[in-house]
Amino acid sequence: MAVCARLCGVGQSRRCRRRQRHSQDQNSDSEVDMDEEEEEERVVGKMKDEPNGSSSSCQNRRGAGPSGAGGLCGSAGPPHPQSLLDLPPELVVQIFSSLPGTALPNLALVCKKFRQYLNTETIWRRRCTEEFGMRDDLRKMETVGMSSRDLYVKLLHPYRHILGLWQPDIGPYGGLLNVVVDGVFIIGWMYLPPHDPRVEDPMRRRPLFRIHMWEKNKATVECMYGHKGPHKGDIQTGKKDEFSTKCNQTDHHRMPGGRQEEFRTWLEEEWGRTLEDIFHEHMQELILMKFIYTSQYDNCLTYRRIYLPPCLPSDLLQPGLFKGTYGSHGLEIIMLSFHGSKAKATKLTGDPNVPAGQLTLEIDLNRPVRLPDLETQSSMEELSRLVRGVHEEAQGGSQGRDAPAEAAEGAEGSDSAPPAGAEEDEPGEPEPQPFVLPLGVMARNEVYPRTCKKCFYGTGLIAGHGFTSPERTPGLFVLFDGDRFGFIWLELKSFSLYSRLSDQLPHAQAPSMQLFEAMLRNMQSWTS
């Protein structure tokens, strides 16, 4: 291509291998490639005007090297280049393109030539593609006169720290925010569970804010809350792994019919029904309480970073995010993670009884439970006796240091007797076993899986209103398949069904298990 000759500092009549290699494709270059060539021509044109520009450097190398040797500039050049300035310009551009964007500002401080190289669109287009997954969107953006360099420098790089998963500080209710690069925008999507009790339906999304560069060639933050369209907003990043959003035009959040119309609209979006459709008085109180509480945060919100749990080959199933039924509180989002012989489910959304951030379930994987026949399963009394037997064994074992190890050995099939109701782990994939809920157990979902893979003893967290008198009570963890599990709360005589979130969540993996566990401890302290 002609660009190669210009980058090398020689005319089109000079022999450039890259130009000869691609001469037959000149007529098929896209408009974006032509824009790139013009940009590179401006960069190299400046260098050619300098006394020590790339043109003179290339000519000196051509004179010094032996004739006939191949090189990107039509000759061999120095056999051992002493610095990047001794390399052909297009090779330097290729090197710079492979570096992370965070390193490029330091390169611009080295010398004027490096600064000129960094004006090449190729470098910034590759950074936008590799670091933020932008491809087709770049071409659309460049057709309206916005460069990849401006997009990276003024939008993607400054706001890269807010990409990923976050938990909003909305008291006991929490939430799940996913900030992503979406087209030529950065958008903060609030994830909402499906309408109760459709736990296996996909998640719902609602945009809370967006950042773009359509106006004045600078990043603009807009609040998306309300029903009057985008309006002015602001984002503040102070502490590490924390940021805040603020709306500068809260009148856009108000509706003509006042609070009553706002409540009816919110109820339909949040629950998919009207207040008249909800006959349970306690549930009506919970819904109204949530509306009043969350409405206080419609102009300013603080978010704290959360990570997806690491995955190990030894895990019972793939950890991640699930949505589950919680009685009158509706559907809530939990995070399932594995910690040795324990599985933990942490609330990302919560309620006035057990708030977000708390450990809702803790499963002892060393204490599997063998289910009896279907007739015995249907008796709540029999199931309660079975699980409480394992619970007493676990409580007794936790009183001494050596007892947990002995209990674990019993569960794994050692010479000691296993806990009552426990089963020995069998190698390979377990055979599905019939499953039925005991009579008298309340379930939001009348349709649930009728076979399961494994069952384990566990405890669930219950508390009074305002998280008073929290208590861990025994229950049964039921693994249905790789994407669904359940938990029978013996104390409450209720059943929760959980289904996996299928959404892709980039920029959310935990850097290490240590950082993930520290995050879980911090989440519990936020609402304790």
Side-chain angles (χ1 to χ4, degrees), residues 310-331:
C311 181
L312 298 176
S314 58
D315 292 341
L316 179 66
L317 70 159
Q318 183 181 353
L321 305 185
F322 291 77
K323 45 196 184 295
T325 55
Y326 278 86
S328 300
H329 299 292
L331 299 188

Side-chain angles (χ1 to χ4, degrees), residues 103-303:
L104 298 181
N106 291 332
L107 282 176
L109 300 176
V110 174
C111 64
K112 189 174 181 180
K113 279 195 179 64
F114 279 16
R115 255 193 332 271
Q116 292 170 342
Y117 286 136
L118 290 174
N119 286 329
T120 309
E121 276 289 282
T122 307
I123 298 174
W124 303 101
R125 185 180 292 115
R126 182 172 173 182
R127 290 298 92 223
C128 292
T129 300
E130 293 187 359
E131 296 181 21
F132 301 99
M134 301 188 68
R135 287 178 175 82
D136 296 337
D137 299 316
L138 289 176
R139 296 183 178 274
K140 298 177 184 177
M141 176 199 66
E142 290 168 358
T143 58
V144 297
M146 188 185 304
S147 68
S148 300
R149 183 180 187 278
D150 284 342
L151 182 72
Y152 188 96
V153 172
K154 298 178 181 179
L155 177 65
L156 300 179
H157 183 75
Y159 290 99
R160 70 192 185 282
H161 296 303
I162 69 171
L163 298 178
L165 289 182
W166 303 82
Q167 187 178 42
D169 183 8
I170 314 180
Y173 298 103
L176 179 64
L177 179 81
N178 187 26
V179 184
V180 297
V181 177
D182 193 336
V184 292
F185 297 91
I186 292 178
I187 300 182
W189 294 100
M190 181 69 84
Y191 276 66
L192 305 173
H195 293 139
D196 181 54
R198 300 195 293 268
V199 68
E200 296 194 43
D201 284 2
M203 294 288 288
R204 297 174 294 130
R205 298 192 310 170
R206 183 175 67 195
L208 289 191
F209 64 86
R210 71 180 185 182
I211 315 171
H212 61 81
M213 286 184 56
W214 292 123
E215 301 174 3
K216 301 179 181 178
N217 203 25
K218 69 176 183 179
T220 301
V221 179
E222 292 179 333
C223 177
M224 303 289 288
Y225 190 86
H227 300 270
K228 296 183 180 180
H231 46 283
K232 292 182 180 179
D234 188 27
I235 289 181
Q236 299 175 348
T237 54
K239 300 179 182 178
K240 182 182 179 182
D241 294 334
E242 184 177 306
F243 77 96
S244 300
T245 58
K246 182 180 179 182
C247 176
N248 297 330
Q249 293 178 295
T250 54
D251 57 297
H252 281 64
H253 304 174
R254 307 282 76 88
M255 302 189 75
R259 296 291 280 175
Q260 289 187 353
E261 183 181 358
E262 293 171 13
F263 174 66
R264 287 195 300 269
T265 304
W266 174 87
L267 184 60
E268 186 175 350
E269 293 177 351
E270 189 83 7
W271 292 83
R273 62 183 79 176
T274 64
L275 196 61
E276 292 74 19
D277 297 332
I278 303 172
F279 301 105
H280 198 290
E281 184 176 348
H282 178 60
M283 193 171 183
Q284 291 180 353
E285 293 175 354
L286 292 173
I287 291 173
L288 185 59
M289 184 187 309
K290 184 175 182 179
F291 170 74
I292 295 174
Y293 193 97
T294 56
S295 297
Q296 305 174 52
Y297 294 86
D298 66 346
N299 64 332
C300 186
L301 264 178
T302 298
Y303 304 87

Side-chain angles (χ1 to χ4, degrees), residues 48-80:
K48 289 175 66 176
D49 293 337
E50 300 176 4
N52 296 323
S54 60
S55 177
S56 59
S57 299
C58 187
Q59 291 173 358
N60 291 337
R61 291 197 296 271
R62 291 176 69 250
S67 61
L72 289 173
C73 286
S75 62
H80 301 289

Side-chain angles (χ1 to χ4, degrees), residues 497-515:
L497 178 63
Y498 299 84
S499 177
R500 184 185 298 276
L501 268 71
S502 58
D503 303 73
Q504 296 295 322
L505 303 172
H507 306 285
Q509 291 298 327
S512 65
M513 191 64 184
Q514 291 75 14
L515 286 177

